[in-house]
């Protein structure tokens, strides 16, 4: 019998299984939703629905580079234990490679086909049922240059090109690629350590600046200084904040004294060609996710039926 899109959607909502699995289940059960749910459960594919509400703040960040283009992805799980699972690591690596063609579009990436068969989203759903934890493909970004290099770096890598902090650096230049790679690696390490909020001061979030201004005002008022002095204190504080949080004006962590912009300029002079840092991306696992605090004793009591 013909299976409608509405039936597939309803079954997906009920079971949490992937689209292709839902289609197959409905075909096997002549469109009977309840029977299809049972069919999915017998295959272990409906288990994902029960896990989908649990917080997934662990997992891995994966990076991939192909020529002048790079991609970074974050795939979350509930526990750090899953990050050590070979199947999970293989999935993250494959998704990072596919992300090179997704151009930062998370929905496009979810729909892309994996070599093993099925879309990224469908394979992820199957992994949830197999591994037994909620998992999610949270975000992805790509960066590219017309000429030059994209350099990737993973801090404390747990496997090739994946770990808890992933960085991409885009260097636009006609300089020798080996020299650019070496410079890019150092800058990427700096970014991992210093966590800049933008490439330059103009790129800093206006809301972030406004919040810092309010903090500086409060400090100036508490100091009891005259208004004209207090205003200078506020502007001085904002200038300092911008300098410390914009990548190009940060002091290079490797020597602790040279602004990153000057490091790049010096490298360009040595290479005999201008080097421009046009973009960067830094993904830190779980940033922005509120982790649920669990009461282990209560969980044990609940499991025991108390």
């Amino acid at each position: 019998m013909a299976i409608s899109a509405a039936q597939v959607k309803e079954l997906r909502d009920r079971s949490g299984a992937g689209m292709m699995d839902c289609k197959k289940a409905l075909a096997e059960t002549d469109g009977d939703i309840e029977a299809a749910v049972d069919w999915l459960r017998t295959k272990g594919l409906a288990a994902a629905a029960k896990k989908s509400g649990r917080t997934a703040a662990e997992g891995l960040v994966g990076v991939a580079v192909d020529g002048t283009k790079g991609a970074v992805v974050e795939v979350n799980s509930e526990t750090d234990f899953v990050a050590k699972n070979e199947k999970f690591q293989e999935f993250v690596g494959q998704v990072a490679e596919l992300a090179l063609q997704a151009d930062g579009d998370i929905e496009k990436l979810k729909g892309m086909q994996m070599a093993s068969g099925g879309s990224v989203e469908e394979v992820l759903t199957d992994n949830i049922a197999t591994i037994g934890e909620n998992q999610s493909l949270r975000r992805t970004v790509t960066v590219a240059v017309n000429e030059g290099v994209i350099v990737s770096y993973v801090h404390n890598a747990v496997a090739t090109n994946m770990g808890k902090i992933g960085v991409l650096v885009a260097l636009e230049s006609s300089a020798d690629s080996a020299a650019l790679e070496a410079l890019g690696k150092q800058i990427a390490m700096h970014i991992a350590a210093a966590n800049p909020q933008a490439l330059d001061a103009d790129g800093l979030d206006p809301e972030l600046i406004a919040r810092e201004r309010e903090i500086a005002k409060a400090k100036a008022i508490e100091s009891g200084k005259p208004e004209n002095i207090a205003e200078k204190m506020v502007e001085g504080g904002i200038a300092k904040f911008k300098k410390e949080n914009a990548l190009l004006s940060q002091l290079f962590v490797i020597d602790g004294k040279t602004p990153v912009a000057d490091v790049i300029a010096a490298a360009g002079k040595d290479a005999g060609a201008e080097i421009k840092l046009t973009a960067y991306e830094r993904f830190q696992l779980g940033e922005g996710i509120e982790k649920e605090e669990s009461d282990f004793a209560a969980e044990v009591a609940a499991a025991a039926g108390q």
Side-chain angles (χ1 to χ4, degrees):
M1 64 172 291
I3 304 300
S4 70
Q7 287 175 297
V8 174
K9 183 179 185 304
E10 180 179 353
L11 183 55
R12 289 192 72 187
D13 292 342
R14 289 277 302 276
S15 67
M19 181 176 68
M20 296 307 297
D21 290 322
C22 288
K23 284 184 177 179
K24 186 174 182 180
L26 288 166
E28 291 288 333
T29 58
D30 294 325
D32 186 323
I33 296 293
E34 294 298 330
V37 170
D38 291 342
W39 187 91
L40 288 167
R41 290 181 63 190
T42 63
K43 302 295 183 181
L45 299 173
K50 295 181 180 180
K51 301 177 178 71
S52 62
R54 303 207 297 246
T55 301
E58 297 293 341
L60 289 170
V61 171
V63 298
V65 174
D66 183 13
T68 55
K69 192 173 187 178
V72 55
V73 300
E74 179 180 353
V75 185
N76 298 124
S77 61
E78 291 180 54
T79 66
D80 184 56
F81 179 77
V82 170
K84 302 171 185 176
N85 180 286
E86 186 175 334
K87 183 174 182 178
F88 183 76
Q89 291 179 359
E90 182 181 356
F91 175 77
V92 174
Q94 291 178 2
V95 171
E97 292 290 340
L98 286 173
L100 288 165
Q101 306 305 319
D103 297 321
D105 186 332
I106 192 72
E107 294 305 320
K108 179 180 179 181
L109 179 56
K110 288 179 179 179
M112 294 177 74
Q113 294 296 301
M114 300 192 71
S116 58
S119 69
V120 169
E121 187 171 25
E122 289 163 358
V123 174
L124 181 62
T125 299
D126 183 61
N127 286 349
I128 295 172
T130 303
I131 295 175
E133 281 193 13
N134 186 30
Q135 297 159 48
S136 65
L137 175 55
R138 184 186 181 202
R139 53 180 173 158
T140 180
V141 171
T142 58
V143 296
V145 293
N146 294 318
E147 182 181 27
V149 299
I150 301 296
V151 180
S152 66
Y153 169 71
V154 174
H155 185 64
N156 288 341
V158 299
T160 303
N161 292 328
M162 61 189 77
K164 294 196 173 185
I165 298 178
V167 178
L168 295 176
V169 173
L171 295 176
E172 190 88 41
S173 178
S174 61
D176 176 70
S177 60
L180 293 175
E181 288 280 352
L183 174 64
K185 188 67 71 176
Q186 288 188 328
I187 293 174
M189 293 172 69
H190 168 95
I191 291 168
N195 191 18
Q197 300 301 299
L199 181 62
D200 54 32
D202 291 339
L204 289 168
D205 185 349
E207 291 187 5
L208 182 63
I209 298 299
R211 186 163 64 248
E212 288 300 318
R213 189 177 295 279
E214 289 302 315
I215 293 172
K217 282 182 180 179
K219 288 182 178 179
I221 291 171
E222 288 182 4
S223 71
K225 300 289 185 183
E227 185 175 345
N228 63 324
I229 300 298
E231 289 178 359
K232 289 181 179 179
M233 289 174 62
V234 170
E235 294 309 314
I238 293 300
K240 182 173 183 290
F241 177 82
K242 289 181 177 180
K243 181 179 179 181
E244 292 177 347
N245 286 277
L247 173 57
L248 292 175
S249 58
Q250 286 181 328
L251 297 182
F252 200 33
V253 294
I254 291 178
D255 68 11
K257 61 182 181 180
T258 309
V260 172
D262 292 349
V263 171
I264 297 170
K269 185 176 180 180
D270 291 341
E274 183 182 15
I275 301 173
K276 290 184 178 180
L277 173 55
T278 57
Y280 78 91
E281 289 295 337
R282 180 187 188 274
F283 275 20
Q284 181 165 338
L285 182 68
E287 57 189 349
I289 299 177
E290 290 189 14
K291 297 184 180 182
E292 295 177 349
E293 297 296 330
S294 61
D295 185 333
F296 183 69
E299 289 179 4
V300 172
Q306 297 178 8

